[in-house]
Amino acid sequence: MKIIKKYSAPFLFCLIIAGFSNFLAANDTVIIKAVGTWDYFTNYQKHEGPFWNKRIAQVSDGQIIGEIKPHTELGLQGYEIMRLVKNGVFDFAFGLPGYVVPESEIFEGADLSSLVQNIDVQKQVAHAYFPTLERAFAEKYNAKLMMLYPFPSQMLWCSRKVSSIEDLKGKRIRVFLTTLGDFVEGVGAIPVSVPYNDVPEALEKGIVDCVITGTMSAYTSKLYKVASHGFTLRVGWGLAFGAMNMSKWNVLSSEQKTLLKNEIAVLTESMWQETAKEDAVALACLSEGPCNIGEAGNMVLVEPSKADLVVRNKIATDVILPRWAERCGPECAANWNRTVGKILDLRAEAKAR
């Protein structure tokens, strides 16, 4: 009994150290559960999926292993994703800021409808508004905003002839974000909510006259079979985010954090570059070609005229910005004016009542 007592403390100490070492070894690998956007869009196929399912394990020598599925495969709508991240169901999510607007209208600010026609300017807008969204994700969802990236630009695809912005008056137009609804009402049309998968049928059956969706998604869903005209006014970019649960982020070592930041920076830049190319490819394929990814859609594409852009500007200042400023509040609008507003030379102010 004396011998046992003599060696029990050191023996137990060794056991504890050995157990702790084994615990550390077993936990060297960090598994990140991620959720992506739409499996039928190229952003998931080419970037979101490969990044988490392959790339991050390769560059980290297996220290970080990602597991991702698109929200469409998981039966999710997209609106609930950040709440699931906040609750730890997912560690990382890709999604649209416009889909988390119920928590705060501040999330709309980097992609208000029709304000930006050029992807380089949209990139400047995203950069200027990043700190604002970074704070909002931290406060509302205990999440770290890691990236902002675009989907191909959102345009209008119609079953009948459209030659100008004036031709949109009275038409029923599919939208998927509040700010897009503001634009549609601003042109004197009627916003209609239609799930993306139902868009071709809604056009074919006359439930809607036009739909707003991205250039490449219009091509891949073969809208050219039911829509004759495309009006190439950019009414949005479908700006998206990548955000990580803050508690999970804090588990990473400083080296792992640096690695992940650097890799996400590379991913972000490649997605901006690809979207710029995709727009041109999709528009060529939707019209007469040449198209190296499939058949030409032979749609009539109508570019907005200078007069159309004047009308667009008026809708932006008289409808889109005032409505958003009203929803978001004075402090939110003032912040937008200091950041995005400076780049676009616009001001968001609620109309006096």
Side-chain angles (χ1 to χ4, degrees), residues 174-228:
R174 180 260 181 172
V175 302
F176 59 91
L177 296 174
T178 303
T179 186
L180 295 175
D182 291 339
F183 169 80
V184 167
E185 290 182 349
V187 300
I190 304 160
V192 181
S193 178
V194 177
Y196 175 78
N197 286 336
D198 297 335
V199 161
E201 184 180 5
L203 264 177
E204 188 174 22
K205 291 185 175 180
I207 296 170
V208 294
D209 303 299
C210 305
V211 302
I212 293 174
T213 192
T215 52
M216 188 56 78
S217 59
Y219 180 73
T220 55
S221 60
K222 299 185 177 181
L223 286 191
Y224 52 84
K225 293 187 179 294
V226 290
S228 60

Side-chain angles (χ1 to χ4, degrees), residues 67-348:
E67 299 174 354
I68 187 172
K69 288 187 177 180
H71 75 255
T72 41
E73 184 179 326
L74 296 170
L76 302 173
Q77 298 299 310
Y79 300 95
E80 68 280 70
I81 283 174
M82 283 312 299
R83 290 174 187 168
L84 295 174
V85 170
K86 182 179 181 179
N87 293 330
V89 177
F90 297 110
D91 303 314
F92 190 100
F94 294 105
L96 298 189
Y99 278 18
V100 296
V101 164
E103 298 294 337
S104 173
E105 285 75 10
I106 200 169
F107 290 106
E108 290 181 289
D111 193 16
L112 293 172
S113 180
S114 77
L115 302 190
V116 181
Q117 296 299 299
N118 180 285
I119 193 167
D120 291 331
V121 176
Q122 181 58 42
K123 193 174 184 180
Q124 293 176 46
V125 166
H127 180 74
Y129 205 64
F130 191 98
T132 300
L133 290 178
E134 190 174 34
R135 290 191 298 271
F137 273 96
E139 292 170 3
K140 301 293 182 182
Y141 296 111
N142 186 39
K144 181 175 179 60
L145 180 63
M146 303 292 290
M147 63 189 294
L148 292 174
Y149 64 98
F151 276 74
S153 52
Q154 309 294 304
M155 298 181 180
L156 293 116
W157 317 97
C158 302
S159 57
R160 284 177 258 174
K161 181 180 178 181
V162 172
S163 4
S164 73
I165 201 169
E166 297 291 336
D167 292 339
L168 298 174
K169 285 183 179 177
K171 287 185 166 49
R172 294 170 60 83
I173 301 176
R174 180 260 181 172
V175 302
F176 59 91
L177 296 174
T178 303
T179 186
L180 295 175
D182 291 339
F183 169 80
V184 167
E185 290 182 349
V187 300
I190 304 160
V192 181
S193 178
V194 177
Y196 175 78
N197 286 336
D198 297 335
V199 161
E201 184 180 5
L203 264 177
E204 188 174 22
K205 291 185 175 180
I207 296 170
V208 294
D209 303 299
C210 305
V211 302
I212 293 174
T213 192
T215 52
M216 188 56 78
S217 59
Y219 180 73
T220 55
S221 60
K222 299 185 177 181
L223 286 191
Y224 52 84
K225 293 187 179 294
V226 290
S228 60
H229 285 68
F231 188 50
T232 60
L233 179 75
R234 287 182 168 92
V235 295
W237 288 92
L239 192 71
F241 65 82
M244 188 169 183
N245 176 283
M246 194 72 76
S247 300
K248 189 72 172 189
W249 171 257
N250 290 333
V251 167
L252 301 179
S253 68
S254 58
E255 292 80 8
Q256 290 170 334
K257 288 177 180 176
T258 299
L259 174 71
L260 192 54
K261 279 182 181 178
N262 292 341
E263 286 297 318
I264 284 180
V266 172
L267 174 69
T268 303
E269 183 58 29
S270 67
M271 293 171 96
W272 280 97
Q273 291 180 11
E274 175 113 6
T275 292
K277 295 174 185 176
E278 254 195 14
D279 254 1
V281 170
L283 289 173
C285 289
L286 285 163
S287 55
E288 296 177 353
C291 181
N292 59 7
I293 58 173
E295 63 180 344
N298 293 309
M299 292 178 73
V300 177
L301 301 186
V302 178
E303 291 186 14
S305 65
K306 290 183 179 179
D308 289 328
L309 294 178
V310 169
V311 174
R312 184 282 311 261
N313 291 344
K314 186 169 176 57
I315 293 168
T317 56
D318 293 357
V319 180
I320 294 167
L321 285 171
R323 285 189 179 185
W324 179 71
E326 181 72 28
R327 291 196 296 271
C328 205
E331 184 179 344
C332 174
N335 173 71
W336 190 91
N337 293 332
R338 289 191 301 268
T339 54
V340 177
K342 280 189 175 181
I343 294 170
L344 303 181
D345 194 23
L346 291 169
R347 287 188 64 80

